[in-house]
Each structure stands twice: as C-alpha cells, then as structure tokens.
Amino acid sequence: MDKPALSPLQKKLPPRLARLEELAYNLWWSWHRASRDLFKQLDRTLWTTTRHNPVRILQEIPQESLHELAKDPIFLRDFDAVLMEMDKDTRGSPQWYSKNPIAYLSAEFGLHASLPIYSGGLGVLSGDHAKEASDMGLPFVAVGFLYEQGYFRQKLDPSGWQEAIYPPLNTAEVALRPAGNGNGDRHFVSVRVGERDIYLQIWEVLVGRTRLYLMDADVEQNAAWDRQLTARLYGGDREMRIQQEILLGIGSVQILRCLGIQPVVWHINEGHSAFMVLERAREFVGQGMSFEEAKAHVRAGTVFTTHTPVPAGHDTFHFALIDKYFNHFWPQLNLSREEFLKLGSYKTGHEETFNMTKLALEMAGRANAVSALHGEVSRKMWHNLWPDKPVNEVPIGHVTNGVHLASWTGEAMHRLYRRYISPDWLTHQDDPLLWARVEEIPDERLWEAHIYLKRKMFSTMRERAREARMQQATPPDQLLCSGIFLDPDALVIGFARRFATYKRANLIFRDIERLKALVHDRYRPVQIIFAGKAHPADDPGKLLLQQIYNIARSPEFGGRIAFVEDYDMHVSRYLIQGVDVWLNTPRKPMEASGTSGMKAALNGILNLSILDGWWAEAYNGRNGWAIDAGQTYEDPNLQDDADAAALYRVLEEQVVPLFYKRDRDDIPRGWVSMMKEAIRTVGPRFSTRRMVQEYLDEYYIPALKDVTALNGNVIP
Ligand SMILES: *Cc1c(COP(=O)(O)O)cnc(C)c1O
C-alpha cells in the first residue's frame, strides 16, 4: 500500500512539532487555555490578525520561527503538556453504548468564529452542546451543512443601511477536512431531491472527541444551480429551503450510514432537520415493517427540541412543494398522499400547510422546549394536537439552555476561579457548593479582573476603528459611534443580538430626552454599545438597525453610544466579558431562552432584562435586575411604553447609583457583591454541563431504553 502523501503542513513542521497540526485541526484547542496560549506563543501578531485561527497561523508563520521553537525548552514543555491533555480528553473509552452514538442534527453550528456556519443563538447552542458532549465523554456525532458563504458579514453603508457581504470560505484555511480514510479518497452520498440526485461531499470537523460531519453540495457532479444549495445559511426562497431541509434531514441519515455509524438516539435540533424521521421510517418499511410499526421505532429513538415561541416562526411548506418533492416518497412508506400530508399538516389562521414542528412532534417520542416559560408557551401553542389532554399534560417538556463555560469564561475570570474556587472548577462545575466559594474572591481582585476585561474590549474596538479608518475614509460621524470616544471608567451597557423586531433594540430610545439625561449626566454618565445583524431579507429589522445607528452617530450623543459592526462569536466574546451591564428587552414571551446573558453573568456582567426566557428562572432579586412593568397589555404600544418606563426607572434608581457608589479605594462594593451573586447563581445552573446531563437523564437514556425494548432488549 502506498503511504499517503505528506500535506503541505506536514512538510513545513519540524518533526518535533509535527503534532501541532493535529492540535490545530481539533477545535478542542479553542476551549483550553493552555493550547490557546500555545498558539499565542507561536506568534502573537498572527494570533490577532488571523482572529485566533491556528490553521492559518501554522500556514503563515515563518519556517525559521518554527525551527527556533522546536529548540525552545519552555515552549516544548508547554507543548507536551497540552498534547497530554488533549490525548486524555479525546482518546480512551467513551461510555458503554459507544458503538451506537447519539446523532445530533442542526442547520447551524457555532463552534468558533473561523468556521462561519452559524447565524446566532441556535447555532452557538448546537456548538456548545457538541463541545460539552465531548467533555462529558458521551458518544456523540453531529451533522450539519458546510456553507461556502456562511451567514454573511455585515457592513453598514454611510446611511446606516446594512449591506450583506458573502466572502467565500477558503476550506484550506479552517479546521476542516474531507471525511475519509486519510488517503485523500473522498466520501460522497447522493440524495434524491425531487427529480434529481444531489451529490454531497462530506467534511469532518473534530470537536474534542465529538465528530461533526458537514455536507457540501458544491461538487462537480452537481449542476451549477444545485451547487448553490449549500452556499448560504437561511438564504433563498421556500423552494430553496425545502431542498436544503431534504438534504439535511434525509442526507444526514445517508451520511451516517455511509460512514458506518448506527445511532440509537436521534436528536432533531429545531424543525429544519425533521425530514430525518421520514428517511428512517423508509428504512424500517424497507425491512418489511408496516408504516405504523416503523413509526413506533422512529418515535422511540427520536428527540425533538423546539425553539420557536410564536406560531408564525415555525417552518412550513405549501402542499404543492411537498407534492413536488415527496410524490416518489410516500409510496415507499406505503402511505397515500393524504396519509403522508397528515403527518405534517397544520392550520395556522386560515391556511393549512406542511409544518415541520408538527411533523417532528408527530414522529418524535420525546420533545422539549428550551426554558420553563417556553415550555408553558409551547404546550399551549400545540394543545390542539392533543385535544383530549389538559394543557399541562401536553407532552412537551423543557430543558433550559446553557452555555459552555470553558468557551465563554474570560481569561482573567478563569484565573480567579481557579485560584479561589478550585483549580479544577471546570471539572466540578455542576456542584453549587463549589460556587459558594465565589464569596472568597477579594472584591479588589474581582473588580480588577473586570476592569482588565473591559479595557481589552475597548482596545479591540479602537483597533477595529483604526483599521476601518485606514481601509476607507471613515466619515467623522461614523468615527463618533465606533466606540473610540467611550470613557473606560464610566458605566457601559451592552446590547448585542439579532435585530428581529420583537427584541426591541430601540426600547431604550423610547423617551429620547430621558435617555439623554442619563447619558449626559456630568458625574455619572451612561454609555451603550450595540451590535447585531438583521436577517438579510428582514427589511423592518434593517430599518430598526439603521435608526439606532443614526442615533448612535448623531453628535447629540457625543460618542457615548457605539455600534460595533459584524457581530459574531469573536465580537460577542469581547462584549460579554467587557461591558458592565447586559441589557435584554424582548417582547415577552417571545424570547424562548436567550443565552448571551448567561455568558455575561458568568463573567460577572450584571443582567438587566425583561423576565422572559432563562432570566425568568435565574433572577433572584440580588443577581441582576428585572425590567418589570408589573402588568401586561394587549396593545404592544402600551406595553412598550410601560416596559420602557420600567427600564428607565431601574437605570435611574438602581443601576447607575450602585455603579457609581465607590468607597475610598474606588471599589463599588455593592456592585461587586452583585457580581458575585450573579456568578454564584448562574455558573452551575445555566451551563451546558447541567443541560446535557438533563438531556441524557430525561431524554437520551429513556429513548435508548425504549429502542432496546422494541428490539427485544438488544441494541440494534
Ligand atoms: C451567544 C450568542 C448568541 C445568542 O444570543 P441571545 O441573543 O441571547 O439569544 C447570538 N449570537 C452570538 C454570536 C452569540 O455568541
């Protein structure tokens, strides 16, 4: 047998450093301090200019530097220690059902900013879930899309209107490789989409011991039009969308089969991947089962998570599209057209369509919402599917979302937690007793760490403004809202999220004069940093963004309101570690969970939020603030008025005075004690450790038991 040819990196790396390649190609590095430090040590400038991308660092670093490092005993000592850690975390025996993993399907994965295959919260949640599954040693595979043009990069034109830029992803520059045997042979599957067969190349991303497979239709075998099918996330029309969802749902099953993986539990993360249940039913019917038997088998092993609290937000298709793309399919299930449509048909208003959430609820034995409140809302919303049950018995539970602590804790905070909580606090992160030791962090140290992270955020913003100024002549008013005039000692409120109108980014501007009084207070000024993208097809969202941008750059706010362009995981990391207050103003109950506030709290940033989603569970009166109008109104305008008034009141009476109440050492003791309460209460409960453990105990293991019971007590 021929030896596989050496990759360019293998040729470049000195033998002693050969395993740097392995390290760069497993995203494990991204949530381990020592390995991040290692890549930083390789070349600090490249670390910054590549936006923390080790694959590019290795490609771009001069060969001499590598040879120097290969002789540097201190570097080598750190390098070996990191490799040992990685081997411990990625090798060895997973748990007892390892041959039959949990398969997790999602339209987006937010793992690292260098791999732009996510748009927001849903993707970051999938990414965090995959990382945690690795940390916990679960047998877990994930499947999604490789979008060549990702979501989009945001650029604002001089009028503040959002432009979407789609820079093509260079697959050679990210931690991504063709799935295969390592000999350069590539794996393909072909999926029937309507009348055509679409070929998909399979890519592999290593996330610790989790494997993520990404499908890519941009291959020679496909017609030019079909090669676009996996180009963009949430782009195109309904017809494009149904084809993508066929690839995701049906293609995922075929990809795993092609790779010889036989999952026992299948987790559908949001309705986009729900066609998976049809393909699996087809397999069972192909083995000789009736459709009803097949359905029972599919249900036993399927878990479905819904994320959408409003009826209009659910993914639906007109029957004409279903006819077009599935008329060859229902005969294979031994179903008539009517029986097939019934699996997904659902009436919203007057219109009956094929609803992906309905399909998933019908075919998944277990379903959950993503916070306690969202659970209630979902049970009410889908009550008509179970008309005989009282609403509280509608079989949709909830697992409140969490965040991956190792990924979202700022360096400076991590050091404090190691020192004062426990050297291996991350290992024991689900122990609330451990977190009580937050009290032992001296106020001075905690405040110092916070100030450090705040300054780091400011310097990052200034650097971005400088670069933009160099590339194009930034007009003065745009410079005004770039953040360079922010006062690092004054209070900073952060608001970064999708510009969907229900998130009400403009709520704080409802009474401009009242806001101005806060912002321009001579002794106790308030500053705000905004960031976020509107969906490229969402004109109301873009208009909202433009309004805010124009307020931010107007001289009357004097540079105290900033807008950071191109919100992504990289920008998010700085903001959730560097502001003082994290503001969230959704129209209740439209925020299913929210996770950015958890990331903030973990770093001692105080939440100021409507009691919606996760915050309704977390808020205890001492770990942040609630914006509570005390009443709900039918008229959204009245609600906005009342909520805005409540927001100003909390800012004026509580937030601002507490922040500026300093002792002789210039430490805001009251504020710091609230920071500690936030860390202590949010850390153990709103982590992916707690979340994945709940999925395991209440969903995956019961599903596994049901599957084995159906199979005469053997794992299929
Ligand atoms: C965490 C995160 C989100 C989720 O934020 P919410 O608005 O709280 O849902 C979205 N986008 C990015 C880039 C994130 O890191």
Side-chain angles (χ1 to χ4, degrees):
M1 216 169 66
D2 291 340
K3 263 188 140 163
L6 287 182
S7 72
L9 268 190
Q10 284 163 342
K11 283 186 205 147
K12 179 176 178 180
L13 291 170
R16 180 68 175 85
L17 301 183
R19 289 192 71 198
L20 271 177
E21 185 186 26
E22 203 183 315
L23 197 58
Y25 274 91
N26 191 328
L27 289 174
W28 179 92
W29 71 262
S30 69
W31 73 93
H32 291 87
R33 308 286 133 179
S35 55
R36 293 172 66 88
D37 286 346
L38 200 70
F39 285 114
K40 223 183 282 179
Q41 269 189 63
L42 276 181
D43 191 317
R44 266 172 201 280
T45 306
L46 282 174
W47 173 254
T48 306
T49 55
T50 64
R51 289 170 37 111
H52 309 178
N53 180 347
V55 172
R56 281 186 55 202
I57 294 175
L58 293 187
Q59 287 166 349
E60 292 174 30
I61 190 172
Q63 187 123 35
E64 307 87 76
S65 311
L66 288 172
H67 284 291
E68 292 284 310
L69 286 163
K71 286 180 280 179
D72 176 344
I74 299 196
F75 180 83
L76 292 175
R77 184 200 61 195
D78 293 349
F79 178 51
D80 291 340
V82 167
L83 288 178
M84 239 166 76
E85 277 290 297
M86 179 169 74
D87 289 344
K88 182 166 72 62
D89 284 0
T90 58
R91 294 178 182 174
S93 56
Q95 295 176 7
W96 49 276
Y97 47 103
S98 64
K99 270 188 243 129
N100 305 98
I102 300 149
Y104 183 90
L105 316 186
S106 182
E108 42 175 311
F109 286 89
L111 291 155
H112 188 258
S114 61
L115 195 56
I117 54 169
Y118 65 94
S119 76
L122 182 73
V124 174
L125 181 79
S126 307
D128 278 6
H129 195 129
K131 290 174 185 172
E132 190 64 53
S134 171
D135 290 348
M136 289 169 64
L138 298 187
F140 194 85
V141 291
V143 191
F145 284 116
L146 179 67
Y147 302 102
E148 288 85 34
Q149 300 172 14
Y151 190 45
F152 67 93
R153 303 291 298 269
Q154 177 190 56
K155 179 108 199 44
L156 301 186
D157 79 4
S159 80
W161 188 251
Q162 172 181 291
E163 289 169 4
I165 302 168
Y166 292 90
L169 178 71
N170 182 347
T171 50
E173 289 183 346
V174 289
L176 179 75
R177 281 189 290 218
N181 49 15
N183 282 340
D185 299 340
R186 300 190 165 201
H187 280 306
F188 289 92
V189 296
S190 81
V191 178
R192 177 145 177 212
V193 177
E195 302 288 304
R196 293 126 51 224
D197 286 319
I198 306 289
Y199 288 86
L200 295 172
Q201 185 186 340
I202 313 169
W203 297 85
E204 183 180 70
V205 179
L206 299 175
V207 186
R209 64 176 109 223
T210 295
R211 274 151 213 273
L212 165 63
Y213 295 105
L214 300 176
M215 56 184 89
D216 174 8
D218 188 17
V219 295
E220 283 172 8
Q221 295 93 319
N222 292 332
W225 158 258
D226 290 333
R227 294 178 72 156
Q228 296 297 311
L229 277 175
T230 55
R232 290 180 185 180
L233 174 56
Y234 307 140
D237 57 8
R238 296 312 297 167
E239 182 141 15
M240 173 74 112
R241 190 68 168 264
I242 194 171
Q243 298 180 61
Q244 285 191 328
E245 294 189 8
I246 289 169
L247 292 182
L248 182 61
I250 293 176
S252 287
V253 180
Q254 298 188 356
I255 284 171
L256 292 175
R257 299 300 184 225
C258 166
L259 297 167
I261 298 170
Q262 307 296 342
V264 263
V265 176
W266 299 73
H267 189 161
I268 305 170
N269 188 41
E270 188 56 317
H272 311 121
S273 53
F275 287 140
M276 175 274 284
V277 297
L278 300 176
E279 176 64 9
R280 292 192 49 240
R282 195 174 68 102
E283 290 180 336
F284 286 119
V285 170
Q287 293 163 20
M289 289 186 195
S290 70
F291 178 75
E292 283 310 313
E293 289 170 303
K295 182 175 168 183
H297 277 79
V298 173
R299 278 180 58 84
T302 304
V303 175
F304 167 55
T305 301
T306 175
H307 292 264
T308 320
V310 279
H314 292 265
D315 216 4
T316 62
F317 298 107
H318 287 300
F319 290 153
L321 278 179
I322 299 292
D323 281 335
K324 180 167 171 187
Y325 288 98
F326 284 94
N327 63 7
H328 69 284
F329 206 97
W330 55 71
Q332 301 182 61
L333 297 178
N334 290 328
L335 293 182
S336 68
R337 173 178 183 271
E338 283 61 40
E339 289 165 331
F340 183 85
L341 289 181
K342 234 182 113 215
L343 296 173
S345 80
Y346 190 75
K347 216 170 184 167
T348 331
H350 293 296
E351 206 184 23
E352 195 161 4
T353 51
F354 195 90
N355 184 307
M356 296 300 279
T357 306
K358 158 82 190 294
L359 173 69
L361 288 172
E362 178 82 25
M363 299 291 285
R366 290 176 175 76
N368 70 286
V370 291
S371 70
L373 190 61
H374 181 227
E376 276 173 42
V377 170
S378 302
R379 286 188 289 277
K380 244 183 243 153
M381 187 157 49
W382 298 101
H383 190 195
N384 54 4
L385 296 185
W386 290 272
D388 305 335
K389 287 187 194 281
V391 67
N392 60 343
E393 284 175 28
V394 167
I396 302 176
H398 80 269
V399 176
T400 303
N401 286 343
V403 294
H404 187 244
L405 301 196
S407 295
W408 294 105
T409 310
E411 189 83 47
M413 291 296 161
H414 181 68
R415 270 199 295 270
L416 284 185
Y417 300 168
R418 261 217 323 244
R419 172 148 178 215
Y420 293 100
I421 297 183
S422 160
D424 50 359
W425 69 278
L426 277 169
T427 316
H428 305 291
Q429 55 173 278
D430 42 5
D431 178 0
L433 291 180
L434 193 81
W435 290 85
R437 297 172 62 173
V438 168
E439 286 308 325
E440 295 179 17
I441 305 176
D443 289 357
E444 292 75 9
R445 295 286 89 75
L446 188 60
W447 188 243
E448 213 171 73
H450 173 63
I451 295 296
Y452 170 81
L453 290 168
K454 192 169 169 182
R455 291 196 189 244
K456 214 162 130 186
M457 172 186 75
F458 281 125
S459 61
T460 306
M461 286 170 74
R462 273 199 301 274
E463 181 57 18
R464 282 167 76 101
R466 194 185 65 80
E467 270 173 16
R469 180 73 182 84
M470 262 172 58
Q471 283 163 14
Q472 86 232 11
T474 317
D477 59 339
Q478 247 166 300
L479 218 48
L480 198 61
C481 71
S482 66
I484 59 172
F485 297 108
L486 293 174
D487 174 355
D489 295 324
L491 177 67
V492 176
I493 297 173
F495 184 101
R497 38 188 42 87
R498 258 181 323 118
F499 276 80
T501 41
Y502 80 86
K503 299 220 180 205
R504 297 190 298 185
N506 55 352
L507 193 75
I508 198 165
F509 297 111
R510 199 140 178 108
D511 184 343
I512 282 275
E513 293 311 315
R514 204 161 165 188
L515 177 63
K516 260 193 219 158
L518 279 163
V519 166
H520 292 310
D521 187 299
R522 206 73 193 251
Y523 302 102
R524 307 185 306 183
V526 171
Q527 315 176 97
I528 313 174
I529 301 177
F530 284 95
K533 295 172 173 175
H535 186 279
D538 176 15
D539 281 346
K542 283 193 258 184
L543 216 53
L544 182 64
L545 195 158
Q546 186 177 38
Q547 275 172 3
I548 288 172
Y549 185 73
N550 283 330
I551 296 174
R553 67 179 177 160
S554 79
E556 39 172 357
F557 279 102
R560 291 217 189 273
I561 299 183
F563 191 99
V564 180
E565 281 176 51
D566 202 28
Y567 180 53
D568 67 355
M569 286 176 78
H570 194 71
V571 173
S572 163
R573 171 186 284 278
Y574 287 103
L575 296 182
I576 55 96
Q577 296 172 8
V579 299
D580 298 300
V581 172
W582 196 249
L583 176 68
N584 193 17
T585 51
R587 186 169 282 134
K588 194 173 174 177
M590 291 170 84
E591 180 97 308
S593 167
T595 51
S596 58
M598 304 172 187
K599 301 170 193 166
L602 183 65
N603 289 287
I605 312 299
L606 298 178
N607 277 271
L608 166 58
S609 173
I610 300 280
L611 285 172
D612 197 9
W614 80 283
W615 189 233
E617 283 163 62
Y619 174 65
N620 69 1
R622 298 180 307 279
N623 57 359
W625 297 275
I627 304 166
D628 189 359
Q631 200 177 340
T632 40
Y633 298 85
E634 280 292 315
D635 180 350
N637 243 320
L638 288 181
Q639 189 71 56
D640 290 357
D641 280 339
D643 288 345
L647 167 59
Y648 294 126
R649 216 165 36 237
V650 186
L651 279 172
E652 291 159 354
E653 293 171 7
Q654 300 182 42
V655 180
V656 175
L658 193 66
F659 181 82
Y660 287 103
K661 187 164 181 260
R662 305 298 170 96
D663 69 358
R664 238 182 314 179
D665 302 323
D666 199 26
I667 310 259
R669 302 275 167 189
W671 189 277
V672 171
S673 111
M674 247 173 135
M675 288 171 72
K676 289 183 183 173
E677 182 69 4
I679 298 165
R680 187 185 72 75
T681 52
V682 172
R685 262 180 73 202
F686 297 92
S687 63
T688 41
R689 176 67 47 87
R690 187 271 312 147
M691 176 185 91
V692 175
Q693 190 67 46
E694 275 180 28
Y695 276 112
L696 188 63
D697 295 342
E698 293 164 31
Y699 293 82
Y700 299 154
I701 289 178
L704 173 70
K705 287 188 177 151
D706 284 358
V707 170
T708 42
L710 264 183
N711 277 284
N713 289 327
V714 289
I715 294 176

